[in-house]
Amino acid sequence: MKYLPELFERNRRWAAEQLAGDPSFFERLCEIQRPKYFWIGCADSRVPANQIIGMQPGEVFVHRNVANRYGDDDVNARAVLEYAVEALGVEHIIVCGHYGCGGVRAALEGGVQGAVAQWIAPIAKLAEARRAELEACADPAKRWAKLCELNVADVLSRVAGSRAVRQAWDAGRPLALHGWIYDLHDGLLRDLNMTVGANISLP
Ligand code: CO
């Protein structure tokens, strides 16, 4: 392999390990994908969806972008959401933010330009709308963390208002939406207690 041979080597090793554990691993995966979970997370390399929830290929459908956003005006996100809900029939949508999110910090502090600035504009708007709450956090690190949490809530309400989710709920399909946040410091997820759902038994 001419380019990035180390990555191909790692890939061969990984594939061999999967087969060693389960000789029909790839055969089964090829048949059909029917994940129960749809994850909307940040593109941050430190927050790999499958790994942090201990899921194998085939178990979670994933959409990641800067600062785990969703908007009806984002055709990419809308297409992925529609596919997850309508074609795959996922039962849980997890919006997962993370503390220490650079996209969220840029929305608070500015200093970015171009497409990134355009992308995070809705978070900057959110920060403006929730300014009193944010300013109540004297410590800038706490303010940043607070906005990471508020961003999850904002995205969750946008997903809840999407056509795909409203139609699923109207049709009585089981579908729950969850807002979580991941802490880079301990590798643990926290449930932000904003689950909304229909026709699904929630603890
Ligand atoms: Co991030």
Side-chain angles (χ1 to χ4, degrees), residues 127-163:
E128 190 54 42
R130 309 293 287 268
R131 200 212 294 231
E133 263 166 275
L134 292 168
E135 281 179 356
C137 309
D139 178 0
K142 286 222 173 81
R143 203 174 306 151
W144 181 13
K146 181 77 186 168
L147 188 55
C148 290
E149 294 172 358
L150 293 174
N151 183 47
V152 172
D154 180 57
V155 172
L156 199 76
S157 71
R158 288 169 191 266
V159 174
S162 69
R163 193 192 55 82

Side-chain angles (χ1 to χ4, degrees), residues 41-47 65-68 96-104 148 151 184:
C42 184
D44 192 306
S45 64
R46 299 164 297 177
V47 194
N65 58 46
V66 171
N68 42 271
C96 186
H98 68 102
Y99 295 123
C101 184
V104 170
C148 290
N151 183 47
L184 299 169

Side-chain angles (χ1 to χ4, degrees), residues 20-186:
D22 174 3
S24 61
F25 182 78
F26 293 108
E27 232 168 89
R28 270 191 301 105
L29 274 182
C30 285
E31 281 166 20
I32 195 164
Q33 72 156 341
R34 201 168 279 146
K36 267 173 69 175
Y37 310 97
F38 173 41
W39 173 281
I40 299 175
C42 184
D44 192 306
S45 64
R46 299 164 297 177
V47 194
N50 283 65
Q51 273 161 291
I52 64 181
I53 49 175
M55 291 233 158
Q56 293 296 318
E59 292 185 312
V60 57
F61 193 62
V62 173
H63 177 69
R64 292 169 68 185
N65 58 46
V66 171
N68 42 271
R69 293 294 302 174
Y70 173 84
D72 279 331
D73 55 349
D74 173 2
V75 71
N76 179 5
R78 208 169 69 230
V80 179
L81 177 66
E82 277 181 21
Y83 191 76
V85 172
E86 293 167 14
L88 298 176
V90 298
E91 292 180 8
H92 299 273
I93 299 175
I94 297 153
V95 175
C96 186
H98 68 102
Y99 295 123
C101 184
V104 170
R105 185 173 59 188
L108 258 186
E109 297 175 0
V112 290
Q113 275 150 20
V116 176
Q118 193 182 332
W119 180 254
I120 61 172
I123 313 175
K125 224 182 208 175
L126 173 69
E128 190 54 42
R130 309 293 287 268
R131 200 212 294 231
E133 263 166 275
L134 292 168
E135 281 179 356
C137 309
D139 178 0
K142 286 222 173 81
R143 203 174 306 151
W144 181 13
K146 181 77 186 168
L147 188 55
C148 290
E149 294 172 358
L150 293 174
N151 183 47
V152 172
D154 180 57
V155 172
L156 199 76
S157 71
R158 288 169 191 266
V159 174
S162 69
R163 193 192 55 82
V165 168
R166 279 186 288 109
Q167 281 188 350
W169 282 342
D170 287 348
R173 296 240 326 272
L175 180 64
L177 277 48
H178 312 269
W180 295 356
I181 198 148
Y182 176 75
D183 195 331
L184 299 169
H185 293 97
D186 58 14

